[in-house]
Amino acid sequence: MMTSDNPRGADNQQERPGFEQWVVGFVDGEGCFAISVVRNAVCRLGWQVQHEFSVTQAEPSRPALELLVEFFGVGRLIPNRRSDNHRTRLWRFSVKRRDDLLWVIVPFFEEHPLITAKRADFGRFCAVLQLMQERAHLTDTGLAAIAAVTEQMNRRQRSRFWNPQRPYANQLVPTRVEDMVLASWRHGDH
Amino acid sequence: MMTSDNPRGADNQQERPGFEQWVVGFVDGEGCFAISVVRNAVCRLGWQVQHEFSVTQAEPSRPALELLVEFFGVGRLIPNRRSDNHRTRLWRFSVKRRDDLLWVIVPFFEEHPLITAKRADFGRFCAVLQLMQERAHLTDTGLAAIAAVTEQMNRRQRSRFWNPQRPYANQLVPTRVEDMVLASWRHGDH
């Protein structure tokens, strides 16, 4: 019976047959396709659409995230804040650049489909990127369409921009209901 | 660009090349190898060693857990309590029978190694099963050895049997320190 307990045994893992499917399974478990629509006075309409593909792990599994950086050749590791009181540091493999998403991440998951409900989020994530390629985020109606798509995405937690328990307590909260819809989405938990 | 958002597109997924690696990646993300040592007056020493391999998902990703049942041919889905206030139901793919663990789950992950820090937990899980095969859990020294191994395993949360913040508030708390060690482990978060 194998009793090896070396968590850093990630060397050459990319060469294991079927490694692409390991990536799909890992992302089915821990991946996050997120769209946020946030206030940004510099943007034409006062709102910025942010897009991120990420996978988060605690420090002991950081080598697995480094494998993702090597495998995709885009993105980077960034330290993550914890919302719990756990002591272990968290790391996030993060891809934010739209070109990296469009030409690397999206084609990979089109060729190697996700299996869990994250597949639906991925589809909506693609739909938003597509709308942005058509410059929809620069028009009122396009921005509303993007907000409508993101509202259908699953959530792990409410955005820090909109807390339904205290909608007026946060200075970042927009005042119109439709603004709150735009800002309220953050991806989630399956 | 693919915009399919069918989360139930799990049909025939087992036939995708490299599906074993999808299972490994998914378990690297969401799997849990857990040993609990709990009070049980029926047992010879008053303690029972429980073992479980599990993968938990919310309702929308239940089909992915059903795939695991089909794939491994052991285990079952059971509804899971949530510790948060999320509304979506949780399901757990659970394998508890020692024979199923020894002859199905363990050989699979020996042949297809995990990549994250869960690999270390798996090694310790195997070590405990091996000790139990040698009937170590039926002797004081063996039980202490099992407790020592489980103490090294990673934790998501403290067991309901031992809360370090209120060690005397829980009627289930054993009174001796070594008893608390035995009861305090529950697997975890990477």
Side-chain angles (χ1 to χ4, degrees):
Chain A
M1 192 179 287
M2 186 189 85
T3 53
S4 158
D5 62 4
N6 170 22
R8 303 212 164 236
D11 310 327
N12 304 317
Q13 294 291 6
Q14 283 196 51
E15 292 162 24
R16 60 163 75 186
F19 182 75
E20 293 84 356
Q21 289 302 320
W22 179 86
V23 172
V24 176
F26 196 46
V27 169
D28 261 321
E30 299 281 18
C32 176
F33 296 93
I35 303 286
S36 308
V37 189
V38 298
R39 278 285 191 207
N40 186 340
V42 172
C43 295
R44 195 185 296 184
L45 301 175
W47 290 96
Q48 181 184 15
V49 180
Q50 296 176 341
H51 29 61
E52 181 182 23
F53 165 59
S54 64
V55 183
T56 301
Q57 292 287 285
E59 177 69 38
S61 295
R62 180 181 166 155
L65 299 182
E66 287 165 353
L67 272 180
L68 296 181
V69 176
E70 285 173 42
F71 177 72
F72 285 115
V74 298
R76 64 199 180 95
L77 297 201
I78 48 186
N80 217 21
R81 280 195 191 174
R82 294 199 80 120
S83 56
D84 58 17
N85 58 3
H86 204 293
R87 288 157 303 175
T88 313
R89 191 168 193 176
L90 286 180
W91 290 93
R92 186 162 99 250
F93 167 67
S94 165
V95 184
K96 291 182 179 175
R97 283 190 62 228
R98 201 186 316 160
D99 279 354
D100 292 342
L101 294 167
L102 281 169
W103 308 121
V104 178
I105 301 300
V106 166
F108 175 79
F109 289 105
E110 284 180 339
E111 192 177 346
H112 305 92
L114 294 155
I115 289 181
T116 67
K118 273 179 195 156
R119 182 171 174 171
D121 274 351
F122 172 69
R124 296 183 182 112
F125 187 79
C126 291
V128 170
L129 291 177
Q130 183 72 54
L131 284 165
M132 294 179 79
Q133 282 301 90
E134 297 160 7
R135 304 181 73 71
H137 56 302
L138 306 179
T139 68
D140 276 321
T141 52
L143 197 58
I146 288 170
V149 174
T150 62
E151 269 298 293
Q152 297 164 18
M153 295 171 85
N154 280 286
R155 302 160 195 205
R156 187 188 299 275
Q157 57 192 17
R158 289 286 172 178
S159 159
R160 64 198 158 96
F161 298 106
W162 185 43
N163 181 336
Q165 266 69 57
R166 47 187 186 88
Y168 305 108
N170 187 335
Q171 293 191 334
L172 290 168
V173 170
T175 50
R176 292 180 299 151
V177 169
E178 57 267 43
D179 290 357
M180 288 196 269
V181 169
L182 284 169
S184 71
W185 178 80
R186 191 82 195 166
H187 167 81
D189 177 25
H190 299 289
Chain B
M1 192 179 289
M2 185 192 84
T3 53
S4 159
D5 62 2
N6 170 20
R8 303 212 165 236
D11 308 328
N12 304 318
Q13 293 292 5
Q14 283 196 51
E15 293 163 22
R16 60 163 73 187
F19 182 74
E20 293 84 355
Q21 288 302 318
W22 180 86
V23 172
V24 176
F26 196 46
V27 170
D28 261 322
E30 298 283 18
C32 177
F33 297 92
I35 303 286
S36 309
V37 188
V38 298
R39 279 285 190 207
N40 187 338
V42 173
C43 295
R44 194 185 297 185
L45 301 174
W47 291 95
Q48 182 184 14
V49 180
Q50 297 176 340
H51 29 60
E52 182 182 22
F53 166 59
S54 65
V55 182
T56 301
Q57 293 285 286
E59 177 69 36
S61 295
R62 180 181 166 154
L65 299 183
E66 287 165 352
L67 272 180
L68 296 181
V69 176
E70 286 173 40
F71 177 72
F72 286 115
V74 297
R76 64 199 182 94
L77 297 200
I78 47 186
N80 217 20
R81 280 197 190 173
R82 292 199 80 123
S83 56
D84 58 18
N85 57 1
H86 204 293
R87 289 156 304 175
T88 314
R89 189 167 195 179
L90 286 181
W91 291 92
R92 187 162 97 248
F93 166 67
S94 166
V95 184
K96 291 182 180 175
R97 282 189 63 226
R98 204 187 314 162
D99 279 353
D100 292 342
L101 294 167
L102 281 169
W103 309 121
V104 178
I105 302 300
V106 166
F108 175 79
F109 288 105
E110 284 182 337
E111 192 177 347
H112 305 92
L114 294 154
I115 288 181
T116 67
K118 274 178 194 157
R119 181 171 175 171
D121 275 350
F122 172 69
R124 296 185 182 109
F125 188 79
C126 291
V128 169
L129 291 176
Q130 183 71 54
L131 284 165
M132 295 178 79
Q133 282 300 89
E134 296 161 6
R135 306 183 73 71
H137 56 302
L138 306 179
T139 68
D140 275 320
T141 51
L143 197 58
I146 289 171
V149 174
T150 62
E151 269 298 292
Q152 297 165 16
M153 295 172 86
N154 281 286
R155 304 159 194 207
R156 187 186 301 274
Q157 59 192 15
R158 289 286 171 180
S159 157
R160 63 199 159 97
F161 299 105
W162 185 42
N163 182 333
Q165 265 70 55
R166 44 184 188 92
Y168 305 108
N170 188 333
Q171 292 190 334
L172 289 168
V173 169
T175 51
R176 291 181 300 150
V177 170
E178 56 268 43
D179 289 358
M180 288 197 270
V181 169
L182 284 170
S184 70
W185 179 80
R186 192 81 196 165
H187 167 82
D189 177 28
H190 300 290

